[in-house]
Amino acid sequence: MNEYIYHILVVIISTLVGFRAYDMGEDTTRYYEKFFDGSHYAYAVHGEVGSYLLMEMAYQLNSPRLFFALVAFVVMPIYMKAMKEYPTVKNSLGWGYMLFLGTTVGLSAVCSYERQVIACGVVLYATKYLLSRNILKYTILIMLASTFHISSFFLIVLYPLTAREVKYENVLIVGVILCEVIKVSYEYISLILPHYGLYFTDFSDDGHGIKQMVLYCLMYVIFAMGYIKYRKDFRYNVFFKIYTLGIVLLLCFYPMLGVSVSVRIAFVCLSYMFLLLGYCVEIDNAYIRMISKVSFTVALTALYFYAMDVANMIPFDIDGF
């Protein structure tokens, strides 16, 4: 019965996301504009062939809605599969899903950053090959992810960083070096990929930047406390190393680019928070575990309403209803 409920939930949330109102999500209207003027061809020119093909399919059928539906019905099952099957603790899907509903790299992102979200979905699926240490299959999937969002190419670095012998201080060093390389080479990025270069030209903040920074950093502290218990759990270490890299990218780019762009740069790495949270409520002491679960439930429920309000998605509109 639980499996039936799980699959029904996947279908429901995919339908809500895929058939949402045309103005629901920060970038949704921009994608509609690209359909109407045919400018989505530029994605193929810049190497994002996967995104172009999905959009071209919808364009040829004269149904922009088809693109959003395809993304939702591909991405949501992958996200939920990763939350459900990759962590080693029980009930990881429920906690990961609650966090997914209330963060800017969760539901509000899936309703907006279509190309980056589908690339993130491919990378999350590829996590199984980080865990099994299959570099060939992981590399193939990273190449596939980069056809939807070219920045995914840099995530090949996650394979060596998540090896057992790599220490967390090495992750911090690599993160800082990666930030400096991107900062130094942003002029070349602007030249080769002008639609990405625009992100580096202006500091932008949506007014909720500090709150988001506090949230992601607070979650890092919680995960660091969880590391005390799960430091010998290989999967926890893989997820936590990736999230650590995300925090480094977020903190390094925030002063220059603001929260909106820095979150996008750290987007995939921060998404591993959905796989980590389930560990942090499985406390050995039954009394403390109960208090912890109640506290997390209240906090995540409040976070959901706050995040949806910021993203202008309350109530959640779906065309035809």
Side-chain angles (χ1 to χ4, degrees):
M1 180 60 69
N2 287 337
E3 283 300 311
Y4 284 117
I5 294 174
Y6 165 70
H7 290 299
I8 290 172
L9 181 61
V10 170
V11 172
I12 290 174
I13 191 65
S14 299
T15 301
L16 287 171
V17 172
F19 294 94
R20 64 188 184 275
Y22 75 93
D23 58 347
M24 179 87 41
E26 182 179 348
D27 285 358
T28 302
T29 54
R30 299 176 189 176
Y31 282 108
Y32 272 97
E33 290 170 0
K34 288 186 176 297
F35 279 112
F36 295 140
D37 62 19
S39 62
H40 62 284
Y41 180 79
Y43 291 137
V45 175
H46 296 133
E48 296 176 348
V49 180
S51 290
Y52 164 72
L53 290 176
L54 283 180
M55 297 183 75
E56 179 65 13
M57 184 188 306
Y59 182 76
Q60 291 298 329
L61 295 174
N62 196 29
S63 175
R65 176 60 50 75
L66 178 61
F67 171 68
F68 299 101
L70 287 172
V71 171
F73 278 91
V74 170
V75 165
M76 289 310 308
I78 293 176
Y79 269 63
M80 298 183 73
K81 175 183 174 66
M83 296 179 213
K84 180 174 181 287
E85 298 181 6
Y86 292 175
T88 54
V89 292
K90 295 180 180 180
N91 303 317
S92 57
L93 173 61
W95 293 107
Y97 187 63
M98 285 189 71
L99 186 59
F100 168 82
L101 290 175
T103 57
T104 52
V105 295
L107 178 60
S108 60
V110 176
C111 291
S112 183
Y113 314 143
E114 305 299 294
R115 291 159 35 248
Q116 191 167 13
V117 162
I118 198 168
C120 182
V122 175
V123 176
L124 283 177
Y125 179 80
T127 304
K128 64 189 297 183
Y129 300 118
L130 288 179
L131 301 175
S132 63
R133 306 310 294 168
N134 189 322
I135 188 172
L136 177 59
K137 291 183 178 180
Y138 183 74
T139 302
I140 291 173
L141 285 176
I142 290 299
M143 295 299 104
L144 175 61
S146 67
T147 67
F148 295 103
H149 203 274
I150 198 70
S151 63
S152 303
F153 175 80
F154 294 102
L155 295 173
I156 194 69
V157 73
L158 297 182
Y159 190 87
L161 283 183
T162 53
R164 291 181 184 272
E165 58 273 15
V166 174
K167 307 296 183 184
Y168 281 90
E169 51 265 35
N170 301 129
V171 177
L172 295 173
I173 293 172
V174 170
V176 172
I177 292 174
L178 184 60
C179 290
E180 292 305 315
V181 169
I182 294 176
K183 288 179 180 179
V184 170
S185 60
Y186 80 89
E187 291 185 358
Y188 298 100
I189 296 175
S190 300
L191 181 64
I192 300 172
L193 301 169
H195 60 300
Y196 287 127
L198 295 174
Y199 291 137
F200 292 89
T201 59
D202 186 33
F203 180 93
S204 61
D205 203 320
D206 59 5
H208 299 269
I210 296 299
K211 294 177 183 178
Q212 289 190 58
M213 295 291 290
V214 170
L215 169 64
Y216 294 123
C217 291
L218 177 61
M219 296 306 299
Y220 183 81
V221 173
I222 293 173
F223 299 149
M225 294 173 64
Y227 173 77
I228 297 173
K229 177 179 179 180
Y230 295 104
R231 59 185 177 277
K232 294 183 179 180
D233 187 315
F234 176 62
R235 294 192 175 207
Y236 190 90
N237 277 277
V238 168
F239 306 150
F240 190 37
K241 284 177 180 177
I242 297 174
Y243 190 77
T244 298
L245 179 62
I247 289 295
V248 173
L249 294 173
L250 187 66
L251 294 178
C252 286
F253 282 107
Y254 176 73
M256 180 175 73
L257 303 175
V259 66
S260 296
V261 178
S262 56
V263 166
R264 290 203 188 193
I265 292 175
F267 182 86
V268 176
C269 296
L270 294 177
S271 297
Y272 278 81
M273 67 196 303
F274 309 137
L275 280 60
L276 283 164
L277 183 61
Y279 290 89
C280 300
V281 295
E282 296 300 322
I283 301 171
D284 294 331
N285 184 288
Y287 178 71
I288 298 177
R289 182 169 62 248
M290 180 184 68
I291 295 176
S292 174
K293 289 185 175 182
V294 171
S295 299
F296 269 111
T297 300
V298 173
L300 292 174
T301 301
L303 183 62
Y304 164 75
F305 285 105
Y306 172 76
M308 293 301 98
D309 184 51
V310 170
N312 295 319
M313 286 193 280
I314 292 180
F316 191 97
D317 293 330
I318 177 171
D319 280 4
F321 292 89

